[in-house]
């Protein structure tokens, strides 16, 4: 078993059987595993187990994310089971895997509101210590009301889609069971940049446009506020990984062996824990680099092609040298870096 820590989640990953049970939501067995007033909604590419009303929303995100994943890579190999509540026990995970699903815990609507209220209150206290408790309560309520104006919960839908991209990519890339290890990785066994790319490409329009709009800031910046040279970007550890470890250490609550838990870590949290702007910079560059390679190669599935080469043990520079020109790309990393930077500056 290999231990993985990903953005927002800590997972203990084991091998999963193949075919999913299409009628799982119609069976009584799932209710024995998941207590409480929950609904199970089946959709084309998975199921969602959550409070009534919320389950249908989560299920719709699964299919939207699956369509975007298929457009960049290939249709997901396995359906996914999104379970609201923030954690899964070992038995729950085993139950879902036995029915052919990739289990994935996600925070519920109530948990999101509680987390948002706590973060907002801490910010108000820090910025306005002169306020009375009643004034702070009113300020928190006002800020939460503004958050709830997000049409259809687009930010949360985009965040969930992002994480589903990670899960499907891991399932695709890590086909061969790994030997027992406690190696800490951001996501799959692939280099972190392409693991992140899979998630970025699955995000909804709102998150995509936010990242594209931020690219010019890093093009104009330098140092930790500028673009990574590709030689660094393509080999670096994901900057959020150590921030997630720091948050986990602060939380101090171990995950049950064989279980899994989602751990929310916003860009601001990661920035505070790492002391740099690097986490946001990594996401923005990933979106920009994705757009560049897709446009330059004229191949929407270019990252699927690259991922397959990497899964065979080929390095990115080796792939570029051998196959770059076939995909309308330079054959060296130095030339690619120049083309990428020129493209980003012209945006």
């Amino acid at each position: 078993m290999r231990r993985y820590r990903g953005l927002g989640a800590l997972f203990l990953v084991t091998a999963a059987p193949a075919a999913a049970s299409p009628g799982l939501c119609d069976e009584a067995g799932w209710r024995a595993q998941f207590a409480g007033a929950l609904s199970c909604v089946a959709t084309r590419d998975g199921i969602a187990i959550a409070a009534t009303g919320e389950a249908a929303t989560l299920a719709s995100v699964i299919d939207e994310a699956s369509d975007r994943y298929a457009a960049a890579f290939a249709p997901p190999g396995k359906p996914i089971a999104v379970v609201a509540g923030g954690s899964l026990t070992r038995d729950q995970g085993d139950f879902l895997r036995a029915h052919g699903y990739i289990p994935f815990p996600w925070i519920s609507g109530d948990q999101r509101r509680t987390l948002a209220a706590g973060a907002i209150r801490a910010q108000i206290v820090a910025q306005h210590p002169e306020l009375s408790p009643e004034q702070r309560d009113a300020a928190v309520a006002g800020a939460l009301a503004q958050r709830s104006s997000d049409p259809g919960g687009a930010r949360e839908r985009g965040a969930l889609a992002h994480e589903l991209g990670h899960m499907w990519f891991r399932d695709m890339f890590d086909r061969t069971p790994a030997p027992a290890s406690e190696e800490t990785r951001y996501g799959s066994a692939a280099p972190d940049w392409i693991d992140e790319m899979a998630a970025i490409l699955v995000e909804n329009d709102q998150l995509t446009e936010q990242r594209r709009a931020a690219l010019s800031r890093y093009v104009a910046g330098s140092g930790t506020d500028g673009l990574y040279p590709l030689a660094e970007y393509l080999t670096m550890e994901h900057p959020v990984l150590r921030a997630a470890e720091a948050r986990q250490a602060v939380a101090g609550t171990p995950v049950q062996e064989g279980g899994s838990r989602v751990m929310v870590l916003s860009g601001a949290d990661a920035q505070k824990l790492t002391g740099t702007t690097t986490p946001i910079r990594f996401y923005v560059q990933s979106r920009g680099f994705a757009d560049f390679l897709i446009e330059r190669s004229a191949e929407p599935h270019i990252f699927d092609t690259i991922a397959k080469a990497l899964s065979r043990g080929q390095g990115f520079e080796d792939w570029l040298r051998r196959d770059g020109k076939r995909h309308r790309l330079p054959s060296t990393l130095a030339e690619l870096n120049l083309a990428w930077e020129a493209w980003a500056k012209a945006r």
Side-chain angles (χ1 to χ4, degrees), residues 16 40 52 119 125 128 141 160 222 255 263 270 273 290 333:
C40 181
T52 301
V125 168
H128 301 284
L160 174 56
S222 60
V255 176
M263 182 175 63
L273 287 165
L333 190 58

Side-chain angles (χ1 to χ4, degrees), residues 69-200:
Y69 185 85
F73 291 94
K78 292 193 186 78
I80 203 159
V82 176
V83 183
S87 64
L88 288 171
T89 66
R90 179 174 185 165
D91 286 346
Q92 289 169 339
D94 288 347
F95 171 81
L96 293 170
R97 281 187 286 268
H99 284 79
Y101 291 91
I102 302 170
F104 182 69
W106 189 241
I107 55 175
S108 67
D110 287 343
Q111 288 171 323
R112 281 196 299 274
R113 286 185 285 273
T114 298
L115 287 166
I120 291 167
R121 185 176 297 278
Q123 188 175 30
I124 289 171
V125 168
Q127 294 178 352
H128 301 284
E130 75 281 0
L131 295 181
S132 68
E134 293 77 15
Q135 289 172 318
R136 289 173 188 166
D137 289 343
V140 171
L144 286 173
Q146 283 188 324
R147 279 181 64 96
S148 65
S149 67
D150 176 26
R155 284 187 296 269
E156 281 77 13
R157 293 172 70 90
L160 174 56
H162 178 108
E163 297 302 331
L164 297 182
H166 277 304
M167 299 302 290
W168 281 319
F169 183 79
R170 179 188 299 166
D171 176 65
M172 177 188 78
F173 198 89
D174 295 355
R175 291 295 187 189
T176 305
S181 171
E182 287 297 305
E183 179 186 7
T184 302
R185 295 189 60 88
Y186 177 74
S188 69
D192 286 357
W193 74 272
I194 197 166
D195 194 294
E196 187 57 41
M197 197 67 74
I200 289 287

Side-chain angles (χ1 to χ4, degrees), residues 51-86:
T52 301
E54 187 178 1
T57 299
L58 297 179
S60 68
V61 176
I62 293 173
D63 281 353
E64 292 169 11
S66 175
D67 287 342
R68 288 190 290 269
Y69 185 85
F73 291 94
K78 292 193 186 78
I80 203 159
V82 176
V83 183

